[in-house]
Amino acid sequence: MLKKQIISGDLLEIILYRLAHQLFENHQDFSNTILIGLQPKGVILAQALQHKIQEITQKTITLGYLDATFFRDDFRQPNLAPLRANATKITENLEGKKVILVDDVLYTGRSVRSALDALGSFGRPAKIELLVLVNRLYTRDLPIEPHYVGKEVITLQSQRVLVAWKNPQENIFENTIFLVEETKD
């Protein structure tokens, strides 16, 4: 396996502050806006952004979590292992709200499509925007593009993007993002 770092911990901090400032510029007081992290790693990113935005605005930013497992188009395919769902936590009706969907990596667009379907269960938002930390270019199966991007990367089908968040329980002590290529030994 070949691993190449594409975003260091220091650069990630800069990217998070830039994204937080872009969100603040477009949503000002966030009174009608909710951040929703897509399970699992979009939640970590959404929490980091919530913290950064609250530092900037000195206001409480509403945060929710969404699991779209049961809305996936491959949910019932017999050749896949059973999928395990994560928690969904959306405490407000989304009717008329501005929603910012947050995910770590945008690849084919299928997870985002599933999330859009799942959001319908919580009301009809006035607007939905997509924020991703890493946008894998030229890999889309669906016509879905983000409004906010941390970094764009060109990848091959054989590569994947690995987002390693700081987590002492998993012995990960530095926020880094890698481009990983599986090698045949």
Short mmCIF file of all heavy atoms in Angstrom, two decimals, residues 22-47:
data_model
loop_
_atom_site.label_atom_id
_atom_site.label_comp_id
_atom_site.label_asym_id
_atom_site.label_seq_id
_atom_site.Cartn_x
_atom_site.Cartn_y
_atom_site.Cartn_z
N GLN A 22 -16.02 31.20 5.06
CA GLN A 22 -16.90 31.20 3.88
C GLN A 22 -18.35 30.98 4.31
O GLN A 22 -19.26 31.65 3.81
CB GLN A 22 -16.49 30.11 2.89
CG GLN A 22 -15.23 30.42 2.13
CD GLN A 22 -14.81 29.25 1.23
OE1 GLN A 22 -14.90 28.08 1.60
NE2 GLN A 22 -14.34 29.59 0.03
N LEU A 23 -18.56 30.05 5.24
CA LEU A 23 -19.92 29.81 5.74
C LEU A 23 -20.46 31.04 6.45
O LEU A 23 -21.62 31.41 6.26
CB LEU A 23 -19.94 28.59 6.66
CG LEU A 23 -19.70 27.25 5.98
CD1 LEU A 23 -19.54 26.14 7.02
CD2 LEU A 23 -20.82 26.91 5.02
N PHE A 24 -19.63 31.67 7.27
CA PHE A 24 -20.05 32.88 7.98
C PHE A 24 -20.42 33.98 6.98
O PHE A 24 -21.43 34.67 7.15
CB PHE A 24 -18.96 33.36 8.92
CG PHE A 24 -19.24 34.70 9.53
CD1 PHE A 24 -20.31 34.86 10.40
CD2 PHE A 24 -18.47 35.80 9.22
CE1 PHE A 24 -20.59 36.11 10.96
CE2 PHE A 24 -18.74 37.04 9.77
CZ PHE A 24 -19.80 37.20 10.64
N GLU A 25 -19.62 34.13 5.96
CA GLU A 25 -19.89 35.16 4.95
C GLU A 25 -21.25 34.95 4.29
O GLU A 25 -21.99 35.90 4.05
CB GLU A 25 -18.79 35.13 3.89
CG GLU A 25 -18.90 36.21 2.84
CD GLU A 25 -17.76 36.16 1.84
OE1 GLU A 25 -16.62 35.88 2.25
OE2 GLU A 25 -18.02 36.38 0.65
N ASN A 26 -21.60 33.70 4.03
CA ASN A 26 -22.85 33.40 3.33
C ASN A 26 -24.07 33.22 4.24
O ASN A 26 -25.20 33.31 3.77
CB ASN A 26 -22.68 32.15 2.46
CG ASN A 26 -21.75 32.40 1.30
OD1 ASN A 26 -21.59 33.53 0.84
ND2 ASN A 26 -21.09 31.36 0.84
N HIS A 27 -23.84 32.94 5.53
CA HIS A 27 -24.97 32.66 6.42
C HIS A 27 -25.05 33.60 7.61
O HIS A 27 -25.99 33.48 8.42
CB HIS A 27 -24.89 31.20 6.90
CG HIS A 27 -25.11 30.22 5.80
ND1 HIS A 27 -26.35 29.77 5.44
CD2 HIS A 27 -24.23 29.63 4.94
CE1 HIS A 27 -26.24 28.94 4.41
NE2 HIS A 27 -24.96 28.84 4.09
N GLN A 28 -24.12 34.50 7.76
CA GLN A 28 -24.08 35.54 8.80
C GLN A 28 -24.37 35.00 10.21
O GLN A 28 -23.50 34.41 10.80
CB GLN A 28 -25.02 36.69 8.44
CG GLN A 28 -24.58 37.43 7.20
CD GLN A 28 -23.24 38.11 7.34
OE1 GLN A 28 -23.02 38.84 8.28
NE2 GLN A 28 -22.33 37.84 6.42
N ASP A 29 -25.58 35.17 10.72
CA ASP A 29 -25.86 34.82 12.12
C ASP A 29 -26.30 33.36 12.31
O ASP A 29 -26.49 32.93 13.43
CB ASP A 29 -26.89 35.77 12.72
CG ASP A 29 -28.27 35.62 12.08
OD1 ASP A 29 -28.43 34.84 11.12
OD2 ASP A 29 -29.19 36.31 12.55
N PHE A 30 -26.49 32.62 11.25
CA PHE A 30 -26.86 31.20 11.29
C PHE A 30 -28.20 30.96 12.00
O PHE A 30 -28.49 29.86 12.43
CB PHE A 30 -25.77 30.35 11.96
CG PHE A 30 -24.60 30.07 11.07
CD1 PHE A 30 -23.62 31.02 10.89
CD2 PHE A 30 -24.49 28.87 10.41
CE1 PHE A 30 -22.54 30.79 10.06
CE2 PHE A 30 -23.42 28.62 9.57
CZ PHE A 30 -22.44 29.58 9.40
N SER A 31 -29.04 31.99 12.12
CA SER A 31 -30.31 31.84 12.83
C SER A 31 -31.27 30.90 12.11
O SER A 31 -32.12 30.28 12.75
CB SER A 31 -30.97 33.21 13.04
OG SER A 31 -31.24 33.81 11.77
N ASN A 32 -31.13 30.76 10.80
CA ASN A 32 -32.02 29.89 10.04
C ASN A 32 -31.22 28.80 9.31
O ASN A 32 -31.68 28.25 8.33
CB ASN A 32 -32.83 30.72 9.02
CG ASN A 32 -34.03 29.96 8.49
OD1 ASN A 32 -34.67 29.22 9.22
ND2 ASN A 32 -34.30 30.12 7.21
N THR A 33 -30.02 28.50 9.82
CA THR A 33 -29.13 27.55 9.17
C THR A 33 -28.76 26.43 10.14
O THR A 33 -28.54 26.69 11.32
CB THR A 33 -27.84 28.26 8.69
OG1 THR A 33 -28.20 29.31 7.80
CG2 THR A 33 -26.91 27.30 7.97
N ILE A 34 -28.68 25.22 9.63
CA ILE A 34 -28.26 24.08 10.44
C ILE A 34 -27.18 23.31 9.69
O ILE A 34 -27.28 23.09 8.48
CB ILE A 34 -29.45 23.16 10.80
CG1 ILE A 34 -29.01 21.98 11.67
CG2 ILE A 34 -30.18 22.67 9.57
CD1 ILE A 34 -30.17 21.18 12.26
N LEU A 35 -26.12 22.95 10.40
CA LEU A 35 -25.08 22.07 9.86
C LEU A 35 -25.50 20.64 10.10
O LEU A 35 -25.90 20.29 11.21
CB LEU A 35 -23.74 22.29 10.59
CG LEU A 35 -22.96 23.55 10.36
CD1 LEU A 35 -21.74 23.59 11.28
CD2 LEU A 35 -22.50 23.66 8.93
N ILE A 36 -25.41 19.80 9.08
CA ILE A 36 -25.74 18.39 9.24
C ILE A 36 -24.58 17.57 8.71
O ILE A 36 -24.28 17.59 7.52
CB ILE A 36 -27.05 18.01 8.54
CG1 ILE A 36 -28.21 18.78 9.16
CG2 ILE A 36 -27.28 16.50 8.60
CD1 ILE A 36 -29.57 18.47 8.59
N GLY A 37 -23.92 16.85 9.61
CA GLY A 37 -22.81 15.99 9.25
C GLY A 37 -23.32 14.63 8.80
O GLY A 37 -24.18 14.04 9.46
N LEU A 38 -22.77 14.14 7.69
CA LEU A 38 -23.14 12.81 7.20
C LEU A 38 -22.31 11.76 7.94
O LEU A 38 -21.08 11.88 8.00
CB LEU A 38 -22.92 12.69 5.70
CG LEU A 38 -23.74 13.66 4.83
CD1 LEU A 38 -23.51 13.37 3.36
CD2 LEU A 38 -25.21 13.56 5.17
N GLN A 39 -22.97 10.78 8.49
CA GLN A 39 -22.29 9.73 9.24
C GLN A 39 -21.41 8.90 8.32
O GLN A 39 -21.78 8.66 7.18
CB GLN A 39 -23.32 8.80 9.91
CG GLN A 39 -24.01 9.41 11.08
CD GLN A 39 -23.16 9.38 12.35
OE1 GLN A 39 -21.93 9.30 12.30
NE2 GLN A 39 -23.82 9.45 13.48
N PRO A 40 -20.25 8.45 8.77
CA PRO A 40 -19.67 8.73 10.08
C PRO A 40 -18.72 9.92 10.10
O PRO A 40 -18.75 10.73 11.01
CB PRO A 40 -18.93 7.44 10.41
CG PRO A 40 -18.49 6.90 9.09
CD PRO A 40 -19.56 7.32 8.10
N LYS A 41 -17.84 10.07 9.10
CA LYS A 41 -16.76 11.06 9.22
C LYS A 41 -17.20 12.50 8.93
O LYS A 41 -16.52 13.43 9.33
CB LYS A 41 -15.58 10.67 8.35
CG LYS A 41 -14.86 9.46 8.89
CD LYS A 41 -13.57 9.21 8.18
CE LYS A 41 -12.86 8.02 8.79
NZ LYS A 41 -11.58 7.76 8.15
N GLY A 42 -18.32 12.69 8.28
CA GLY A 42 -18.83 14.03 8.08
C GLY A 42 -19.23 14.68 9.38
O GLY A 42 -19.21 15.91 9.52
N VAL A 43 -19.58 13.86 10.37
CA VAL A 43 -19.96 14.38 11.69
C VAL A 43 -18.75 15.02 12.36
O VAL A 43 -18.86 16.10 12.95
CB VAL A 43 -20.55 13.25 12.56
CG1 VAL A 43 -20.76 13.71 13.99
CG2 VAL A 43 -21.86 12.76 11.97
N ILE A 44 -17.60 14.37 12.26
CA ILE A 44 -16.38 14.91 12.87
C ILE A 44 -16.04 16.26 12.24
O ILE A 44 -15.72 17.23 12.93
CB ILE A 44 -15.21 13.92 12.71
CG1 ILE A 44 -15.54 12.60 13.42
CG2 ILE A 44 -13.91 14.52 13.25
CD1 ILE A 44 -14.59 11.47 13.08
N LEU A 45 -16.14 16.34 10.91
CA LEU A 45 -15.88 17.58 10.20
C LEU A 45 -16.90 18.65 10.59
O LEU A 45 -16.54 19.81 10.84
CB LEU A 45 -15.91 17.35 8.69
CG LEU A 45 -15.74 18.56 7.79
CD1 LEU A 45 -14.44 19.31 8.08
CD2 LEU A 45 -15.81 18.13 6.33
N ALA A 46 -18.17 18.29 10.67
CA ALA A 46 -19.22 19.24 11.06
C ALA A 46 -18.99 19.78 12.47
O ALA A 46 -19.18 20.96 12.72
CB ALA A 46 -20.59 18.59 10.93
N GLN A 47 -18.56 18.91 13.38
CA GLN A 47 -18.27 19.36 14.75
C GLN A 47 -17.11 20.35 14.76
O GLN A 47 -17.15 21.35 15.47
CB GLN A 47 -17.95 18.16 15.65
CG GLN A 47 -19.15 17.30 15.94
CD GLN A 47 -18.78 15.98 16.60
OE1 GLN A 47 -17.68 15.45 16.43
NE2 GLN A 47 -19.73 15.42 17.35
#
